[in-house]
Amino acid sequence: MSHREAAAINQQITKGILSMHTRYLKLSGAAIALSCVVTAAAYASNPVPDETIAVAKAAVQRAEQSGAPQAAPVELASARDKLARAEKANADHHAKPAIALADQALIDAQVAEATAQKERAAKAAAEFDASMATLRQESNRNSTPNQ
């Protein structure tokens, strides 16, 4: 797979993630958009493996902090594995595989982070709905005349 094909796939996946989660959390859209900008900037400058790995490592750390270990353990494990393989390939002076693996790790980490954010948003929405139902019950109880 060429670097451009990987970039195109990365952009398609990122766009899909953005469209899926925008209605749940506008902040998650902003975080993913920022990741896209960083990724696009990296592609534009023909990155060296160290820079690409650093971007992927930052994405994995963000995913870990966002609750992905509980919400998206498979995706996060995949990101960690690909990041480790990218670091090994880079240490062995295999630049192209290192870049490709780091790009894949970045995508997996973004998916894990977005999944965690979606889960948090769904939980918050459910809590809000429960609170509203309680308020409605209280309102109905208080508005009915005592007999």
Side-chain angles (χ1 to χ4, degrees):
M1 177 180 298
S2 75
H3 192 66
R4 287 179 194 233
E5 290 172 334
I9 290 171
N10 184 17
Q11 287 177 335
Q12 288 175 348
I13 290 173
T14 303
K15 285 179 184 177
I17 292 169
L18 280 172
S19 66
M20 232 170 61
H21 299 289
T22 299
R23 64 188 155 131
Y24 291 107
L25 279 178
K26 290 188 179 191
L27 289 177
S28 69
I32 293 170
L34 179 62
S35 294
C36 293
V37 169
V38 170
T39 302
Y43 283 121
S45 65
N46 193 17
V48 296
D50 290 337
E51 293 169 349
T52 309
I53 289 171
V55 170
K57 191 177 289 190
V60 169
Q61 290 171 347
R62 276 192 317 275
E64 290 170 342
Q65 294 169 356
S66 74
Q70 295 80 25
V74 174
E75 293 85 353
L76 185 58
S78 177
R80 288 174 178 156
D81 175 62
K82 289 174 182 172
L83 180 59
R85 290 171 40 206
E87 289 172 332
K88 180 167 181 354
N90 190 35
D92 293 342
H93 304 291
H94 301 296
K96 285 185 180 184
I99 291 170
L101 286 164
D103 286 340
Q104 292 171 14
L106 172 66
I107 292 167
D108 289 347
Q110 288 174 335
V111 169
E113 181 180 10
T115 301
Q117 290 172 343
K118 176 184 173 190
E119 187 174 289
R120 278 197 318 272
K123 184 177 179 181
E127 289 173 1
F128 178 78
D129 289 344
S131 295
M132 291 303 294
T134 301
L135 286 173
R136 276 190 212 100
Q137 289 173 348
E138 288 295 318
S139 176
N140 289 338
R141 188 177 327 151
N142 291 334
S143 65
T144 55
N146 292 335
Q147 294 177 342

